[in-house]
Amino acid sequence: MSAQPMLFTRTLQLCRLCRRRLSTIFALSTAKMPAAVAVIRVSGPRAHEVINRMTHLGQSGRVTPRYMYHTPLLHCESREVLDRGMVVSFRAPRSFTGEDVVEIQSHGGVAVVDGLLESLASLGPEFRMATPGEFTKRAVLNNKLSLEQAEATLHVIQAQTRVQRRRAVANMGRSHHQMFDRWRDKLITCQALIEAQLDFGEDDLPDQEVILSEVTSSLTDVIAELKKSLGSFERSRRVREGLRVALVGAPNVGKSSLMNLLCDRSVAIVSPVSGTTRDVIEAPIDFNGFPLIIQDTAGERETSDLIEMEGVRRAREIGRSADVVIHLTSCDSQSHLDDLGLSQTVIKVSNKCDLGTGDPDDAAVRMSCTTLEGFDRLCSLLEEAIKNVTNESHENSVEVCSERQRQAVSECVSHLERAVTEEEEDDLVMTAERVKLGLHALSSLVGHRVHTDQILDVVFSKFCIGK
């Protein structure tokens, strides 16, 4: 078994034992200065001292949590008024981190924020600047977020398009966490059934064949669902990093012109001279909410020019690795599509229709980069192809959205498949061990440990043992 899933779980257990001794941390939570507004977050056992030391609110009696107060913001040592702003407090565990939290909202000037941070640092050695991601880490340690929800939070922050944001927010939702919990509960039940058969085989238990049949059925179902979610990893990665759309075809068919149209700016040089583009030109765009990387390539033709030969080689390589290929032709060019060996989604476009010449019979789009005739049709086909590649129609399915999650799910599947094999060979001891290892791998997804008491609860709730 790989040590990585177990390492995550054990690290979280150790951190949770030490969380009471954590220092109070603070940091600027909003974008870099200058800005109209700045939010400084403070979290930890001494967070509420900030209200007493840096405002006059502590003198007026109890400050009600979750209420905003307008107040002068003071330097805790010099008592200088640094700004006038808003302060709100949250009592543990009803906060983002699960700890006492105070948020200060001030003007976003450099001098103002620097003064507030300096004041917080002077409150004592137990106050310190937070490290990157430490607020979210504490939320995980205090069971406010699971590990996969924390990873989804990062993806929400990094999202640059509508689809990226939608996928990341969906992964933050409780439905994904509940699916992982459902798989986990099934495996706990399977382990309990097997261990009960091993330990209490002579007691009042159902027939062994009935138990093993139930276990096999449950394991098979979980394996199938895990493999389905595992298949989403590559799609999820494409959405996060951007889908690659390659423009291929013979020289001077309008690939660079189409790239400039898709990017809505001049990215590639357009010239009536054949072979102008000799290298791959890439440009990221937001295409109706989808992150795309448009790739203009060298024209496909036989040549003795060494530089152009290299460009053609790269064009073929890009075409084979792209998620979607737009293959352009025109009335005065020949198609070399078969030479590229493409197997993915290909949209065939006949360009220069404004010249009034004939078009290939198999072209899906007849267009002109000059008059824009057919461009909307091309965009519709491209969006449809992208949705098919990303499985956008099944956006509510559980996604494996990080390499850590992929490794944990893959390891779980491996152990469970071996458990089914060993169960068929009547080796219940090894079957139980494989289910246990699969359970630990799956539990590392959310950072939760499976305790022996949970296994025993299932055993004694299902059977009347020891009558």
Side-chain angles (χ1 to χ4, degrees):
M1 175 183 179
S2 169
Q4 187 173 15
M6 291 296 292
L7 179 61
F8 271 102
T9 305
R10 290 171 181 168
T11 300
L12 286 174
Q13 293 163 8
L14 180 60
C15 290
R16 282 172 178 145
L17 290 175
C18 302
R19 67 177 180 265
R20 291 185 178 178
R21 298 190 291 273
L22 290 174
S23 56
T24 299
I25 58 174
F26 58 89
L28 178 67
S29 294
T30 45
K32 63 181 181 180
M33 307 163 291
V37 176
V39 177
I40 296 175
R41 177 180 286 168
V42 186
S43 179
R46 296 181 57 187
H48 285 88
E49 289 186 27
V50 172
I51 295 178
N52 296 327
R53 299 285 297 276
M54 293 182 60
T55 73
H56 296 311
L57 297 175
Q59 302 172 5
S60 60
R62 178 177 174 81
V63 175
T64 303
R66 299 176 178 271
Y67 277 74
M68 299 288 294
Y69 293 89
H70 184 260
T71 177
L73 302 174
L74 313 175
H75 193 287
C76 65
E77 291 185 341
S78 67
R79 311 307 293 169
E80 174 190 2
V81 177
L82 301 173
D83 193 12
R84 293 181 182 275
M86 307 293 289
V87 174
V88 60
S89 65
F90 303 86
R91 288 287 183 181
R94 298 181 64 194
S95 70
F96 173 71
T97 61
E99 303 173 330
D100 287 345
V101 170
V102 170
E103 289 187 357
I104 302 171
Q105 299 183 13
S106 69
H107 294 99
V110 174
V112 171
V113 174
D114 284 349
L116 292 172
L117 294 177
E118 178 188 331
S119 178
L120 288 168
S122 66
L123 286 172
E126 293 185 12
F127 283 79
R128 63 171 177 81
M129 284 286 289
T131 57
E134 190 168 3
F135 289 101
T136 305
K137 177 182 177 181
R138 292 192 176 194
V140 173
L141 295 179
N142 290 311
N143 294 320
K144 303 298 288 186
L145 290 176
S146 64
L147 277 176
E148 94 275 5
Q149 287 174 321
E151 289 170 323
T153 300
L154 176 62
H155 295 155
V156 169
I157 295 171
Q158 295 174 335
Q160 297 183 2
T161 72
R162 172 175 52 84
V163 174
Q164 287 176 326
R165 182 256 304 156
R166 182 191 301 161
R167 292 286 184 95
V169 170
N171 289 335
M172 286 179 64
R174 296 300 303 173
S175 60
H176 284 61
H177 189 73
Q178 289 167 357
M179 180 62 77
F180 287 128
D181 283 347
R182 187 170 67 83
W183 292 334
R184 183 169 168 265
D185 291 344
K186 279 190 174 183
L187 296 186
I188 289 175
T189 300
C190 288
Q191 187 178 357
L193 290 170
I194 297 171
E195 293 193 2
Q197 187 65 44
L198 289 171
D199 295 339
F200 308 106
E202 301 300 324
D203 289 282
D204 187 14
L205 293 175
D207 183 80
Q208 178 173 328
E209 290 186 3
V210 175
I211 293 177
L212 295 184
S213 176
E214 181 179 344
V215 169
T216 300
S217 177
S218 293
L219 291 180
T220 303
D221 289 344
V222 172
I223 290 171
E225 292 180 9
L226 288 173
K227 284 185 174 180
K228 182 179 179 181
S229 69
L230 203 57
S232 70
F233 173 73
E234 190 60 29
R235 295 192 301 271
S236 178
R237 182 191 63 79
R238 287 171 175 169
V239 171
R240 290 196 310 275
E241 298 179 2
L243 292 97
R244 297 186 174 272
V245 178
L247 310 181
V248 303
N252 208 29
V253 294
K255 297 187 299 298
S256 297
S257 297
L258 179 56
M259 181 173 193
N260 292 341
L261 277 178
L262 290 170
C263 296
D264 197 24
R265 60 190 176 94
S266 180
V267 176
I269 297 174
V270 176
S271 167
V273 179
S274 297
T276 301
T277 302
R278 294 194 169 194
D279 204 350
V280 179
I281 300 175
E282 296 185 346
I285 66 168
D286 181 341
F287 182 79
N288 295 339
F290 289 92
L292 302 186
I293 300 174
I294 308 298
Q295 299 174 302
D296 186 16
T297 64
E300 172 73 16
R301 67 178 177 183
E302 297 296 329
T303 179
S304 58
D305 186 297
L306 294 179
I307 296 177
E308 190 173 0
M309 287 174 62
E310 175 61 20
V312 171
R313 186 195 67 79
R314 294 187 182 188
R316 293 180 175 182
E317 186 177 286
I318 290 296
R320 295 188 188 101
S321 63
D323 298 299
V324 178
V325 172
I326 298 179
H327 178 228
L328 279 82
T329 60
S330 69
C331 60
D332 52 357
S333 68
Q334 294 182 349
S335 173
H336 295 270
L337 187 62
D338 294 338
D339 299 338
L340 297 176
L342 301 176
S343 59
Q344 68 274 61
T345 302
V346 178
I347 302 174
K348 298 180 180 181
V349 177
S350 177
N351 191 28
K352 301 185 181 182
C353 69
D354 55 307
L355 298 181
T357 54
D359 300 309
D361 294 335
D362 60 348
V365 182
R366 184 176 182 272
M367 69 167 291
S368 167
C369 289
T370 302
T371 66
L372 301 186
E373 179 184 345
F375 182 64
D376 289 343
R377 166 66 175 164
L378 171 61
C379 290
S380 297
L381 291 178
L382 179 57
E383 183 173 2
E384 182 181 341
I386 292 166
K387 286 182 177 179
N388 289 334
V389 170
T390 60
N391 202 29
E392 183 68 8
S393 60
H394 298 86
E395 60 185 21
N396 292 324
S397 60
V398 175
E399 284 191 348
V400 175
C401 58
S402 73
E403 178 61 25
R404 182 192 70 83
Q405 292 181 18
R406 188 196 67 78
Q407 290 182 8
V409 173
S410 296
E411 185 166 332
C412 180
V413 169
S414 176
H415 286 305
L416 296 186
E417 287 180 333
R418 294 183 68 177
V420 171
T421 301
E422 284 156 353
E423 182 183 330
E424 292 172 351
E425 296 173 355
D426 293 330
D427 190 346
L428 290 185
V429 174
M430 287 305 301
T431 299
E433 182 63 20
R434 289 297 176 189
V435 173
K436 178 181 178 181
L437 293 175
L439 185 54
H440 280 301
L442 186 63
S443 297
S444 71
L445 280 171
V446 292
H448 293 167
R449 180 184 180 184
V450 179
H451 297 279
T452 303
D453 288 348
Q454 293 174 278
I455 307 295
L456 294 176
D457 286 344
V458 175
V459 172
F460 289 104
S461 67
K462 282 185 173 289
F463 307 121
C464 298
I465 296 175
K467 272 189 175 181

